[in-house]
């Protein structure tokens, strides 16, 4: 069984040795049962559970100091589907879970990442989306936090904030390991996806690995030829 000193003291300690039943007042039967089954090594696929269910389960995992359960819940959050229909609900759940900071942060990040990809880092379009939903003044803090995370997020591809998606590559913004895509009509490289390797010895070239065949070649370092492909 998964060890939990808090769980053991509360349910099997000397204060409860004469009790036949123990009332559970801060969780539903289903959530509490999921925790018990985890303690006794039943490992479900947390991706199949609603995030609201996992929020309640995370609360119990913190209350009873079950680190393994907390860790598994956190790992599962990026695997949950985020859509235009539920992104605001996820952000609201993040705010409702603010006392459980790691869980709250993970939900906010999931919402912000989805919107960043969906709107290609265009904050004005994300804000317009919120104004067209049922969001109101009550959700102003939630929307502000999501927008802030979108603005300050470090892109995994270009390693910049704000992201350089669709921005042409130059000597000054060159990031080794990032992916770019060819856009110059008539150059024969339109649609080529290239992983940046290093700046070339000449100021107008760089070395890159074409993802289609894995070969490293020299390419023209020109923002009109290649742009960052981050989303």
């Amino acid at each position: 069984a998964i060890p939990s000193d808090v769980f053991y003291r509360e349910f099997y300690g000397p204060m409860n040795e004469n009790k036949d039943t123990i009332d559970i007042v801060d969780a539903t039967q289903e959530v509490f049962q999921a925790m018990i089954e985890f303690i006794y090594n039943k490992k479900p696929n947390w991706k199949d559970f609603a995030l609201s269910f996992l929020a309640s389960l995370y609360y119990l995992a913190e209350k009873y100091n079950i680190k393994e359960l907390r860790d598994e819940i956190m790992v599962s959050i990026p695997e949950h589907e985020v859509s235009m229909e539920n992104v605001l609900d996820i952000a609201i759940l993040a705010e409702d879970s603010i006392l459980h900071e790691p869980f709250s942060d993970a939900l906010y990040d999931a919402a912000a990442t989805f919107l960043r990809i969906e709107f290609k880092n265009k904050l004005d379009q994300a804000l317009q989306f919120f104004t067209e939903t049922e969001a109101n003044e009550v959700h102003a803090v939630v929307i502000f936090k999501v927008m802030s995370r979108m603005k300050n997020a470090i892109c995994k591809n270009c390693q910049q904030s704000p992201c350089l998606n669709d921005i042409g590559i130059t000597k000054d913004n060159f990031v080794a390991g990032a992916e770019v895509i060819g856009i110059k009509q008539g150059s024969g490289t339109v649609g080529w996806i290239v992983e940046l390797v290093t700046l070339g010895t000449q100021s107008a070239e760089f070395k890159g690995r074409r993802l289609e065949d894995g070969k490293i070649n020299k390419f023209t370092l020109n923002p009109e030829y290649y742009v960052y492909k981050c989303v």
Side-chain angles (χ1 to χ4, degrees):
I2 301 296
S4 171
D5 53 339
V6 179
F7 182 87
Y8 183 85
R9 286 198 305 271
E10 182 161 338
F11 291 94
Y12 299 107
M15 297 299 293
N16 290 318
E17 60 185 3
N18 296 321
K19 291 185 178 180
D20 293 327
T21 61
I22 298 174
D23 295 328
I24 305 300
V25 297
D26 54 358
T28 65
Q29 178 181 344
E30 291 78 12
V31 173
F32 192 81
Q33 181 66 30
M35 182 189 71
I36 295 297
E37 291 177 350
F38 180 85
I39 288 175
Y40 288 97
N41 295 313
K42 182 176 180 179
K43 302 295 181 67
N45 187 347
W46 299 118
K47 185 176 65 174
D48 297 334
F49 290 79
L51 287 170
S52 56
F53 183 98
L54 295 184
S56 297
L57 189 60
Y58 189 91
Y59 160 76
L60 290 183
E62 283 205 331
K63 177 179 179 179
Y64 295 113
N65 192 29
I66 309 175
K67 181 180 183 301
E68 293 89 344
L69 179 54
R70 293 199 306 267
D71 291 346
E72 288 201 14
I73 292 173
M74 292 295 294
V75 169
S76 77
I77 291 177
E79 298 177 351
H80 282 75
E81 180 181 0
V82 185
S83 66
M84 300 290 278
E85 288 72 28
N86 70 6
V87 63
L88 179 59
D89 292 333
I90 291 173
I92 292 171
L93 180 61
E95 187 64 22
D96 290 342
S97 306
I98 198 68
L99 294 179
H100 309 292
E101 187 173 351
F103 185 80
S104 177
D105 284 345
L107 291 180
Y108 266 126
D109 286 343
T113 298
F114 168 79
L115 292 172
R116 182 176 65 81
I117 295 173
E118 183 69 24
F119 295 110
K120 298 184 177 180
N121 295 296
K122 294 180 173 61
L123 295 178
D124 57 335
Q125 292 185 14
L127 184 59
Q128 180 64 27
F129 161 73
F130 282 124
T131 63
E132 294 174 353
T133 66
E134 296 180 357
N136 53 44
E137 293 181 2
V138 176
H139 303 136
V141 171
V142 171
I143 295 172
F144 174 79
K145 289 184 177 182
V146 172
M147 298 295 290
S148 295
R149 286 174 186 257
M150 284 184 64
K151 180 179 179 180
N152 298 324
I154 302 296
C155 175
K156 292 182 179 180
N157 183 52
C158 69
Q159 303 300 313
Q160 301 297 309
S161 177
C163 173
L164 299 178
N165 186 58
D166 288 337
I167 301 297
I169 62 168
T170 67
K171 180 180 179 181
D172 293 331
N173 69 16
F174 188 93
V175 178
E179 292 182 4
V180 298
I181 187 169
I183 61 169
K184 181 67 174 179
Q185 296 293 335
S187 66
T189 62
V190 174
W192 283 21
I193 299 177
V194 179
E195 178 187 353
L196 303 182
V197 176
T198 184
L199 286 168
T201 55
Q202 303 297 321
S203 60
E205 68 180 27
F206 69 92
K207 289 184 179 180
R209 179 181 293 104
R210 187 182 176 196
L211 297 193
E212 183 175 329
D213 54 23
K215 293 181 179 179
I216 294 179
N217 296 301
K218 293 180 180 179
F219 298 88
T220 301
L221 180 63
N222 187 321
E224 296 182 0
Y225 277 62
Y226 295 93
V227 299
Y228 280 96
K229 183 182 184 302
C230 300
V231 295

